[in-house]
Amino acid sequence: MGAFKYMGRILPTLWNDRVTITGVKEVKHGDFSDTEDVTIVENHPAKVVLGGQKPSEQSFFGTDQYDAKLLIDNGVFIPAGADIYVTDVNGNKNKYKRASKGYQGYVSHQEVAMIRDEKAKDVT
């Protein structure tokens, strides 16, 4: 079991993506409840693994939508519905939404299912 815990400390050093994760928390203002945006982590090491990216399944052209998985250490609590902003090793920035709650069933990391859903744009 000790080797797995060691792997959990070493694994993030191999991840070159950086993430900022935002979510909402419930706050009370007197008798009323409301939600406010909070930053869960900022510039945190992680790895994005792309899922299916099939042009035949797109509903219309002009979107850049696909499934992805975020690998991140178990020390970060990620609520369902969080917005995840990823900067990859090349400096490209992407926003992912509709994130699942983190699955923390691994000793070394957790996995978060998410969807990239942005309008396609030409960067030339």
Side-chain angles (χ1 to χ4, degrees):
M1 188 66 152
F4 289 114
K5 290 200 182 269
Y6 180 71
M7 185 173 65
R9 289 193 310 264
I10 295 299
L11 199 55
T13 64
L14 303 174
W15 296 332
N16 295 320
D17 298 333
R18 308 301 284 184
V19 297
T20 297
I21 302 173
T22 60
V24 295
K25 72 173 184 177
E26 190 171 308
V27 293
K28 290 200 79 88
H29 297 289
D31 292 334
F32 300 101
S33 293
D34 198 7
T35 58
E36 64 182 35
D37 294 334
V38 293
T39 299
I40 298 166
V41 292
E42 191 168 3
N43 200 29
H44 196 80
K47 179 66 183 162
V48 174
V49 179
L50 300 181
Q53 191 174 8
K54 298 177 184 173
S56 62
E57 293 180 359
Q58 292 185 2
S59 59
F60 60 92
F61 293 105
T63 63
D64 194 4
Q65 180 178 26
Y66 53 85
D67 297 332
K69 215 182 290 185
L70 179 73
L71 307 179
I72 193 166
D73 64 85
N74 278 326
V76 179
F77 173 75
I78 303 172
D83 289 328
I84 301 172
Y85 302 88
V86 178
T87 304
D88 68 20
V89 69
N90 296 314
N92 300 313
K93 297 180 181 188
N94 295 303
K95 178 184 176 191
Y96 295 86
K97 61 183 184 178
R98 295 197 312 219
S100 68
K101 181 180 176 188
Y103 173 71
Q104 297 177 325
Y106 303 109
V107 174
S108 59
H109 68 283
Q110 64 179 305
E111 293 184 359
V112 179
M114 56 190 184
I115 294 177
R116 179 170 184 225
D117 188 8
E118 296 179 356
K119 293 210 183 256
K121 51 189 165 208
D122 188 10
V123 292
T124 57

